[in-house]
PDB file of all heavy atoms in Angstrom:
ATOM      1  N   ARG B 177     -59.248  60.956 -10.598  1.00 98.00           N
ATOM      2  CA  ARG B 177     -59.612  60.684  -9.223  1.00 98.00           C
ATOM      3  C   ARG B 177     -60.561  59.472  -9.241  1.00 98.00           C
ATOM      4  O   ARG B 177     -60.616  58.560  -8.389  1.00 98.00           O
ATOM      5  CB  ARG B 177     -60.289  61.895  -8.535  1.00 98.00           C
ATOM      6  CG  ARG B 177     -60.685  61.629  -7.154  1.00 98.00           C
ATOM      7  CD  ARG B 177     -59.636  61.092  -6.299  1.00 98.00           C
ATOM      8  NE  ARG B 177     -59.047  62.172  -5.520  1.00 98.00           N
ATOM      9  CZ  ARG B 177     -57.952  62.047  -4.632  1.00 98.00           C
ATOM     10  NH1 ARG B 177     -57.399  60.868  -4.510  1.00 98.00           N
ATOM     11  NH2 ARG B 177     -57.487  62.989  -4.043  1.00 98.00           N
ATOM     12  N   ASP B 180     -59.023  56.153  -9.322  1.00 98.00           N
ATOM     13  CA  ASP B 180     -58.427  55.886  -7.995  1.00 98.00           C
ATOM     14  C   ASP B 180     -59.406  55.304  -7.011  1.00 98.00           C
ATOM     15  O   ASP B 180     -59.116  54.381  -6.186  1.00 98.00           O
ATOM     16  CB  ASP B 180     -57.795  57.177  -7.477  1.00 98.00           C
ATOM     17  CG  ASP B 180     -56.914  56.958  -6.206  1.00 98.00           C
ATOM     18  OD1 ASP B 180     -55.988  56.127  -6.305  1.00 98.00           O
ATOM     19  OD2 ASP B 180     -57.277  57.600  -5.197  1.00 98.00           O
ATOM     20  N   CYS B 397     -51.438  50.532  -3.545  1.00 97.00           N
ATOM     21  CA  CYS B 397     -51.309  51.803  -2.800  1.00 97.00           C
ATOM     22  C   CYS B 397     -51.769  52.957  -3.807  1.00 97.00           C
ATOM     23  O   CYS B 397     -52.451  53.990  -3.362  1.00 97.00           O
ATOM     24  CB  CYS B 397     -49.895  51.986  -2.407  1.00 97.00           C
ATOM     25  SG  CYS B 397     -49.323  53.550  -2.055  1.00 97.00           S
ATOM     26  N   GLY B 398     -51.373  52.827  -5.011  1.00 97.00           N
ATOM     27  CA  GLY B 398     -51.740  53.777  -6.022  1.00 97.00           C
ATOM     28  C   GLY B 398     -51.821  53.185  -7.404  1.00 97.00           C
ATOM     29  O   GLY B 398     -51.910  51.990  -7.533  1.00 97.00           O
ATOM     30  N   ARG B 400     -54.206  52.905  -9.409  1.00 97.00           N
ATOM     31  CA  ARG B 400     -55.174  51.951  -9.260  1.00 97.00           C
ATOM     32  C   ARG B 400     -56.067  51.847 -10.586  1.00 97.00           C
ATOM     33  O   ARG B 400     -56.899  50.931 -10.649  1.00 97.00           O
ATOM     34  CB  ARG B 400     -56.127  52.257  -8.143  1.00 97.00           C
ATOM     35  CG  ARG B 400     -55.452  52.165  -6.783  1.00 97.00           C
ATOM     36  CD  ARG B 400     -56.388  52.616  -5.697  1.00 97.00           C
ATOM     37  NE  ARG B 400     -55.724  52.487  -4.340  1.00 97.00           N
ATOM     38  CZ  ARG B 400     -56.198  53.069  -3.317  1.00 97.00           C
ATOM     39  NH1 ARG B 400     -57.263  53.844  -3.408  1.00 97.00           N
ATOM     40  NH2 ARG B 400     -55.626  52.959  -2.167  1.00 97.00           N
ATOM     41  N   GLU B 586     -51.896  64.057  -2.847  1.00 98.00           N
ATOM     42  CA  GLU B 586     -51.638  62.798  -2.129  1.00 98.00           C
ATOM     43  C   GLU B 586     -51.654  61.550  -3.115  1.00 98.00           C
ATOM     44  O   GLU B 586     -50.919  60.647  -3.109  1.00 98.00           O
ATOM     45  CB  GLU B 586     -52.521  62.566  -0.889  1.00 98.00           C
ATOM     46  CG  GLU B 586     -53.977  62.532  -1.167  1.00 98.00           C
ATOM     47  CD  GLU B 586     -54.568  61.140  -1.561  1.00 98.00           C
ATOM     48  OE1 GLU B 586     -54.017  60.150  -1.162  1.00 98.00           O
ATOM     49  OE2 GLU B 586     -55.519  61.208  -2.330  1.00 98.00           O
ATOM     50  N   GLN B 587     -52.613  61.702  -4.055  1.00 98.00           N
ATOM     51  CA  GLN B 587     -52.740  60.615  -5.123  1.00 98.00           C
ATOM     52  C   GLN B 587     -51.524  60.552  -5.994  1.00 98.00           C
ATOM     53  O   GLN B 587     -50.968  59.491  -6.327  1.00 98.00           O
ATOM     54  CB  GLN B 587     -53.928  60.749  -5.932  1.00 98.00           C
ATOM     55  CG  GLN B 587     -54.136  59.573  -6.918  1.00 98.00           C
ATOM     56  CD  GLN B 587     -55.311  59.778  -7.886  1.00 98.00           C
ATOM     57  OE1 GLN B 587     -56.152  60.570  -7.734  1.00 98.00           O
ATOM     58  NE2 GLN B 587     -55.271  59.030  -8.938  1.00 98.00           N
ATOM     59  N   TYR B 588     -50.915  61.727  -6.316  1.00 98.00           N
ATOM     60  CA  TYR B 588     -49.744  61.753  -7.182  1.00 98.00           C
ATOM     61  C   TYR B 588     -48.636  61.004  -6.421  1.00 98.00           C
ATOM     62  O   TYR B 588     -47.906  60.212  -7.002  1.00 98.00           O
ATOM     63  CB  TYR B 588     -49.340  63.172  -7.498  1.00 98.00           C
ATOM     64  CG  TYR B 588     -50.357  63.993  -8.352  1.00 98.00           C
ATOM     65  CD1 TYR B 588     -50.539  65.302  -8.097  1.00 98.00           C
ATOM     66  CD2 TYR B 588     -51.014  63.344  -9.309  1.00 98.00           C
ATOM     67  CE1 TYR B 588     -51.409  66.024  -8.892  1.00 98.00           C
ATOM     68  CE2 TYR B 588     -51.930  64.052 -10.085  1.00 98.00           C
ATOM     69  CZ  TYR B 588     -52.178  65.424  -9.882  1.00 98.00           C
ATOM     70  OH  TYR B 588     -53.126  66.090 -10.571  1.00 98.00           O
ATOM     71  N   TRP B 589     -48.487  61.352  -5.153  1.00 98.00           N
ATOM     72  CA  TRP B 589     -47.431  60.652  -4.392  1.00 98.00           C
ATOM     73  C   TRP B 589     -47.625  59.184  -4.350  1.00 98.00           C
ATOM     74  O   TRP B 589     -46.692  58.359  -4.558  1.00 98.00           O
ATOM     75  CB  TRP B 589     -47.357  61.188  -2.922  1.00 98.00           C
ATOM     76  CG  TRP B 589     -46.249  60.702  -2.151  1.00 98.00           C
ATOM     77  CD1 TRP B 589     -44.957  61.252  -2.102  1.00 98.00           C
ATOM     78  CD2 TRP B 589     -46.099  59.420  -1.392  1.00 98.00           C
ATOM     79  NE1 TRP B 589     -44.152  60.409  -1.368  1.00 98.00           N
ATOM     80  CE2 TRP B 589     -44.897  59.301  -0.915  1.00 98.00           C
ATOM     81  CE3 TRP B 589     -47.072  58.451  -1.100  1.00 98.00           C
ATOM     82  CZ2 TRP B 589     -44.408  58.232  -0.096  1.00 98.00           C
ATOM     83  CZ3 TRP B 589     -46.688  57.345  -0.316  1.00 98.00           C
ATOM     84  CH2 TRP B 589     -45.387  57.296   0.087  1.00 98.00           C
ATOM     85  N   ARG B 590     -48.912  58.753  -4.077  1.00 98.00           N
ATOM     86  CA  ARG B 590     -49.147  57.262  -4.062  1.00 98.00           C
ATOM     87  C   ARG B 590     -48.876  56.579  -5.419  1.00 98.00           C
ATOM     88  O   ARG B 590     -48.394  55.560  -5.458  1.00 98.00           O
ATOM     89  CB  ARG B 590     -50.621  57.016  -3.570  1.00 98.00           C
ATOM     90  CG  ARG B 590     -50.837  57.237  -2.083  1.00 98.00           C
ATOM     91  CD  ARG B 590     -52.243  56.682  -1.617  1.00 98.00           C
ATOM     92  NE  ARG B 590     -53.272  57.564  -2.184  1.00 98.00           N
ATOM     93  CZ  ARG B 590     -54.145  57.319  -3.144  1.00 98.00           C
ATOM     94  NH1 ARG B 590     -54.099  56.097  -3.738  1.00 98.00           N
ATOM     95  NH2 ARG B 590     -55.110  58.134  -3.487  1.00 98.00           N
ATOM     96  N   ASP B 591     -49.356  57.348  -6.455  1.00 98.00           N
ATOM     97  CA  ASP B 591     -49.149  56.769  -7.798  1.00 98.00           C
ATOM     98  C   ASP B 591     -47.543  56.644  -8.102  1.00 98.00           C
ATOM     99  O   ASP B 591     -47.177  55.636  -8.615  1.00 98.00           O
ATOM    100  CB  ASP B 591     -49.814  57.628  -8.872  1.00 98.00           C
ATOM    101  CG  ASP B 591     -51.276  57.541  -8.864  1.00 98.00           C
ATOM    102  OD1 ASP B 591     -51.877  56.620  -8.176  1.00 98.00           O
ATOM    103  OD2 ASP B 591     -51.913  58.378  -9.475  1.00 98.00           O
ATOM    104  N   ASN B 592     -46.969  57.631  -7.600  1.00 98.00           N
ATOM    105  CA  ASN B 592     -45.544  57.708  -7.971  1.00 98.00           C
ATOM    106  C   ASN B 592     -44.647  56.712  -7.179  1.00 98.00           C
ATOM    107  O   ASN B 592     -43.503  56.337  -7.513  1.00 98.00           O
ATOM    108  CB  ASN B 592     -44.971  59.125  -7.659  1.00 98.00           C
ATOM    109  CG  ASN B 592     -43.924  59.506  -8.793  1.00 98.00           C
ATOM    110  OD1 ASN B 592     -43.415  58.615  -9.573  1.00 98.00           O
ATOM    111  ND2 ASN B 592     -43.540  60.778  -8.874  1.00 98.00           N
ATOM    112  N   ARG B 593     -45.213  56.269  -5.963  1.00 98.00           N
ATOM    113  CA  ARG B 593     -44.368  55.475  -5.048  1.00 98.00           C
ATOM    114  C   ARG B 593     -44.044  54.151  -5.790  1.00 98.00           C
ATOM    115  O   ARG B 593     -43.029  53.479  -5.305  1.00 98.00           O
ATOM    116  CB  ARG B 593     -45.134  55.270  -3.655  1.00 98.00           C
ATOM    117  CG  ARG B 593     -44.251  54.549  -2.680  1.00 98.00           C
ATOM    118  CD  ARG B 593     -43.073  55.409  -2.368  1.00 98.00           C
ATOM    119  NE  ARG B 593     -42.095  54.756  -1.477  1.00 98.00           N
ATOM    120  CZ  ARG B 593     -41.090  53.881  -1.902  1.00 98.00           C
ATOM    121  NH1 ARG B 593     -41.045  53.594  -3.226  1.00 98.00           N
ATOM    122  NH2 ARG B 593     -40.238  53.371  -1.118  1.00 98.00           N
TER     123      ARG B 593
END
Side-chain angles (χ1 to χ4, degrees):
R177 181 57 98 185
D180 187 58
C397 158
R400 293 180 181 160
E586 60 83 34
Q587 185 187 343
Y588 297 142
W589 187 90
R590 283 188 290 107
D591 288 350
N592 217 349
R593 189 61 191 82

